[in-house]
Amino acid sequence: MLEALYTAEEMKAVEAGHDVPTLMERAGRAVAEEAIRRYPDARSFGAVCGGGANGGDGRIALEVLRAAGREAQEGASGDVLIDALFGTGFHGEPRPEAAALIEELNAAGRPVVAIDLPSGVNADTGGIAGAAVQAHVTVTMHGRKVGLEVAPGRFHAGEVVVADIGLEPRATVTRLVTREILGLVPPKGERDNKYTAGAVLVVGGSAGMGGAVTLAATAAFRADAGYVTVCSEVEPHLLEAVKRPLGDAVEAAAKARALGIGPGLGRSPEKQALVRRLLEETDLPAVVDADALFGLEPFVREAPTVLTPHAGELAHLLDRDSAWVDAHRLEAVRAAVERFDCVCLLKGADTLVAAPSEGTLVTRLEHPSLATAGTGDVLTGVISAFLAKGVDARLAAAAGAIACDAAAGHGPKRGLIASDVASLLPLALGWSDPGQSPESRPKTRENRGDGTV
């Protein structure tokens, strides 16, 4: 459910007490074997090697390649190139001579295999301060590094292969979320009614923005909520939801178990005041998204709260610009947690979930088709439903992101729209299978993780 993502210091702790030459031998051999497996027709290999352990791994890889009958030498020439310039300890901006070597690798027009992580990428943050290798494959030792999963580093890593070099696993502060997290979402039980199965109140919708609140409410139902009320200025296009005026929102919260606030709400001072009133006068778990984030100031509440901004929205909350957020995603999401003292989910292909006094979760989203209008509203509905079912706020946020990505995987690669994502949620969650009736599926928690036993 949660896979370790290592920082440089965490890797040092794992390696402590082990024989360094032995580890380097294993690492270099793993790189060479992966390079041959990945590019079996390549006859020549070149490696750009630095002066540290990463460079030593690269030189050992060349020895193994030569022993396997391939031409292999140092330098940026060959059918396949190996990036062995910097290792996990690198931070900052490469010096000019190193930057020139990085640019030479990128300009060569050959497949690049990076050792541990692409040179120029910060292992702890994914940050890039200057030139960085654009790898096709990264062979990383023992476990994935934070910088391989968090943007912008993620987009330089290519396919990541983890090589076992004989080290023991270790707990890490930052972790990667897997599909198994969906097993935490409880199904409706035999004794449930529509309220106990998960009652959600969605607050949003204004002139011209009725679609946003409809998507959020639909997604809450599709994520298995039993009862959804919509308080809105417009009529949502959803038969199953109870509709009430926007002014009834605080009163309507009495029958809900979770709130979804913001989709299409509008940004007037009156709407901002309503958001604050809902946060301060209710004790329900809440998701705060879209227009509800506009002008949001720190608040005091005991109930779990999840903010779900994209980079631009988070930039406004932190009084920064979106380019800074994109370049410092881990720092930005933690800054939001410190300011608002609640869970924050920063949207993106590497959606990040941070919470007070807890490590950050990274959800690696695999489907670019999610980059379409309305999917954020769907996410709000899904997380709200999971909160209404009693799932911990941090885990509900991460599970919501995984659920939406899984739903997108069942849809078209091109032309996917947000309502498709909502309609595919039962299938993605393993609660619906076109080839098997629900009655015939084993009723076990394990079977709800990714649709398989």
Side-chain angles (χ1 to χ4, degrees), residues 45-47 49 58-67 72-74 82:
F45 294 81
C49 301
R59 294 182 181 93
I60 292 171
L62 292 177
E63 293 175 4
V64 175
L65 288 165
R66 285 191 289 267
Q73 59 184 357
E74 287 196 44
I82 296 172

Side-chain angles (χ1 to χ4, degrees), residues 149-346:
E149 297 297 335
V150 176
R154 170 185 169 170
F155 301 118
H156 283 253
E159 184 177 344
V160 177
V161 177
V162 178
D164 182 1
I165 57 172
L167 299 173
E168 293 298 317
R170 178 187 174 91
T172 59
V173 173
T174 305
R175 288 177 286 178
L176 182 69
V177 182
T178 68
R179 287 280 297 275
E180 285 70 28
I181 196 172
L182 297 179
L184 294 178
V185 183
K188 292 171 182 170
E190 293 179 354
R191 297 186 179 184
D192 274 326
N193 58 46
K194 60 187 177 184
Y195 299 110
T196 62
V200 174
L201 171 62
V202 180
V203 181
S206 56
M209 296 297 291
V213 73
T214 300
L215 285 168
T218 301
F221 269 127
R222 291 297 187 181
D224 210 33
Y227 191 89
V228 178
T229 301
V230 176
C231 285
S232 177
E233 291 180 338
V234 296
E235 182 80 3
H237 307 296
L238 181 61
L239 296 175
E240 297 84 358
V242 175
K243 292 90 170 179
R244 297 185 63 171
L246 187 62
D248 290 354
V250 175
E251 178 186 345
K255 286 190 175 182
R257 290 196 170 189
L259 304 174
I261 312 170
L265 178 63
R267 300 181 174 183
S268 68
E270 294 77 15
K271 303 294 179 60
Q272 293 180 49
L274 175 61
V275 171
R276 190 161 197 92
R277 187 180 174 199
L278 285 166
L279 292 176
E280 293 183 345
E281 296 184 18
T282 69
D283 59 358
L284 298 173
V287 182
V288 184
D289 184 39
D291 288 340
L293 294 169
F294 181 77
L296 187 68
E297 294 292 336
F299 47 83
V300 177
R301 75 191 309 257
E302 295 297 325
T305 309
V306 181
L307 310 184
T308 58
H310 55 57
E313 291 165 335
L314 185 55
H316 283 296
L317 292 175
L318 299 176
D319 196 24
R320 306 295 294 254
D321 59 64
S322 57
W324 180 86
V325 173
D326 286 334
H328 305 85
R329 288 177 61 80
L330 276 174
E331 182 180 350
V333 74
R334 294 303 315 179
V337 170
E338 291 176 12
R339 181 167 192 218
F340 291 94
D341 194 30
C342 66
V343 175
C344 182
L345 178 151
L346 175 56

Side-chain angles (χ1 to χ4, degrees), residues 354-365:
S357 304
E358 295 191 83
T360 302
L361 302 180
V362 181
T363 61
R364 181 184 177 89
L365 306 187

Side-chain angles (χ1 to χ4, degrees), residues 8 93 138 177 246 340 370 413 426 442:
E93 183 176 356
T138 297
V177 182
L246 187 62
F340 291 94
L370 279 173
K413 291 183 178 179

